[in-house]
Amino acid sequence: MDVETRLRWFRQAEIKHGRVYMAAFVGWIFSANGGAFPGMEQYIGATPLETWTNTPWEWELAFILSCGAIEFRTLVIAKNPDAKWNDWKSR
């Protein structure tokens, strides 16, 4: 792997991790202030961690699998920068 490709990969990883951090921070503050999405009001706890613990495991699993699917798709696009989002055969 040449230096330019490696630097592009590091740059993309840094941007992605920054965005994940920002989303997690906003979610933490939202939950800490008693915010909830419609239909989840009954799972609100005293802290964001308690709210996560109160959430049904099916919803937790769906959230984790969704994050994994997005990460997988990002890696497929990283291998072929000209690929479109709905082009699952790009490798």
Side-chain angles (χ1 to χ4, degrees):
M1 182 183 307
D2 65 337
V3 174
E4 185 177 329
T5 303
R6 190 177 314 160
L7 285 175
R8 188 176 71 183
W9 186 84
F10 280 126
R11 188 178 306 120
Q12 181 182 6
E14 186 68 26
I15 290 170
K16 182 179 3 175
H17 289 122
R19 289 177 181 163
V20 168
Y21 168 78
M22 288 186 285
F25 181 77
V26 168
W28 186 275
I29 297 300
F30 180 73
S31 181
N33 288 313
F37 290 111
M40 293 205 51
E41 293 86 3
Q42 67 266 26
Y43 305 117
I44 294 178
T47 66
L49 292 177
E50 187 178 326
T51 301
W52 177 257
T53 304
N54 295 341
T55 304
W57 69 270
E58 295 91 348
W59 292 16
E60 293 174 0
L61 181 63
F63 174 76
I64 291 170
L65 289 176
S66 298
C67 292
I70 292 169
E71 180 69 18
F72 172 75
R73 190 65 196 131
T74 303
L75 291 173
V76 169
I77 286 179
K79 287 183 180 179
N80 183 3
D82 297 327
K84 294 190 175 36
W85 180 255
N86 59 357
D87 185 13
W88 286 94
K89 296 179 182 176
S90 61
R91 291 194 191 249

